[in-house]
Amino acid sequence: MRNEQIYEGKAKKLLLTDDKNVLLQRFKDSATAFNGVKKAEFAGKGETNNAISTFCFQKLEAAGVPTHFIERVNDRDMLIKRLDMIPLEIVVRNIVAGSLAKRTGLDEGTVVKEPIVETYLKRDDLNDPHLADVHVFMLDILRPDQLERLKQLALKVNATLDPIFERAGMKLVDFKLEFGLDADGQVVLGDEFSPDTSRLWDLETRRKLDKDVFRADLGDLMEVYHEVAARLGVLPQT
Ligand code: TMP
């Protein structure tokens, strides 16, 4: 298998395989926050996020959400379908937290009546600004029907995973998704689903079980990631 690297992000790498339509997605141990300003290494994070993402993608595929996931091939790698990635970060929110609390003045923990879907431009140099739909069209990122489909899928991800996390004793507060287009121009979920890219609170105590532990120095990040994996019944990683 070829393993030429074609992309390195803050938490993952993408490598070529012998099949031009298939990539290897490798989860790194690095964690960053505040657009890379804060950075640290956590031994085992890559393996844990690979396992949690695999679990989530399998649940989503079973629910009819098209994803790039093919299979988990080892501790830190999964095979994925190659997509033409859409330069948007799509955030779904069930509970007010993070930037939504800052932007609206609502208290963290306020329940959002209907889950909302937000669109941010994936541009580190601009600090990922929030976009209205008119800007998505103005920038020629997606057609209206594609944006509509993407939002529908984002809500379906929420409707699928929220009860699964709830049964595991966690509230899915919010999360970020990235989508791509396949060869037929169909919108497909890419990237990852992990505690790096979501907020998960203990249902009873509201203890944070996600990357906010790193962002705000609240404790041992790997301890909470292992707890998420254990609660989901994903094999504990060492
Ligand atoms: P926010 O409240 O900071 O806008 O974050 C909303 C959700 O998106 C939260 O679950 C964390 C996730 N997120 C990312 O995965 N990457 C990012 O760059 C940002 C800003 C947020």
Side-chain angles (χ1 to χ4, degrees):
M1 188 186 273
R2 284 198 286 164
N3 60 359
E4 185 192 332
Q5 185 175 307
I6 56 162
Y7 171 82
E8 178 160 10
K10 298 190 200 88
K12 297 186 296 300
K13 295 176 180 180
L14 295 177
L15 296 91
L16 294 175
T17 70
D18 292 332
D19 183 337
K20 67 175 173 34
N21 298 313
V22 175
L23 298 175
L24 194 75
Q25 174 159 271
R26 176 161 295 163
F27 289 78
K28 306 199 299 185
D29 285 343
S30 319
T32 65
F34 314 117
N35 202 8
V37 170
K38 183 169 177 174
K39 195 171 188 315
E41 295 291 307
F42 294 93
K45 184 172 84 75
E47 293 168 35
T48 307
N49 280 353
N50 189 27
I52 294 172
S53 273
T54 294
F55 172 88
C56 292
F57 282 135
Q58 286 171 335
K59 295 290 182 191
L60 292 169
E61 284 283 349
V65 176
T67 82
H68 68 165
F69 179 76
I70 300 173
E71 63 172 329
R72 175 170 174 249
V73 284
N74 61 47
D75 284 351
R76 60 178 62 242
D77 300 329
M78 60 170 62
L79 289 176
I80 58 167
K81 291 172 206 141
R82 189 169 190 156
L83 300 176
D84 183 12
M85 292 307 289
I86 300 162
L88 297 176
E89 299 202 352
I90 306 301
V91 172
V92 180
R93 302 183 188 264
N94 295 305
I95 304 276
V96 173
S99 71
L100 184 62
K102 286 206 187 82
R103 191 160 3 114
T104 59
L106 291 168
D107 287 336
E108 182 176 271
T110 307
V111 176
V112 179
K113 271 177 266 159
E114 284 293 322
I116 58 170
V117 183
E118 298 173 337
T119 308
Y120 296 84
L121 181 63
K122 193 174 164 71
R123 277 274 303 259
D124 279 348
D125 59 332
L126 300 179
N127 240 328
D128 297 347
H130 183 243
L131 295 185
D133 292 358
V134 286
H135 303 127
V136 175
F137 306 141
M138 185 195 82
L139 290 167
D140 276 329
I141 294 173
L142 289 174
R143 299 188 309 260
D145 60 304
Q146 291 172 317
L147 182 61
E148 196 46 46
R149 169 77 174 147
L150 181 154
K151 288 182 184 176
Q152 271 174 10
L153 288 174
L155 288 172
K156 188 156 182 187
V157 170
N158 190 46
T160 304
L161 294 182
D162 184 45
I164 291 172
F165 280 101
E166 183 156 334
R167 281 198 289 279
M170 293 174 275
K171 182 64 206 171
L172 181 55
V173 171
D174 58 30
F175 56 88
K176 184 264 300 181
L177 303 173
E178 296 182 31
F179 291 87
L181 298 175
D182 67 13
D184 302 325
Q186 294 298 311
V187 179
V188 176
L189 180 64
D191 195 47
E192 68 181 293
F193 197 105
S194 77
D196 267 13
T197 55
S198 58
R199 287 195 174 94
L200 302 165
W201 292 354
D202 180 87
L203 265 186
E204 303 297 324
T205 66
R206 286 189 172 189
R207 185 162 69 95
K208 295 181 195 310
L209 300 169
D210 56 64
K211 203 168 84 173
D212 272 349
V213 170
F214 169 65
R215 294 190 187 97
D217 295 318
L218 301 177
D220 182 335
L221 188 74
M222 284 318 300
E223 200 176 285
V224 305
Y225 279 34
H226 286 144
E227 182 161 347
V228 172
R231 288 187 187 197
L232 292 173
V234 170
L235 282 180
Q237 307 294 306
T238 50

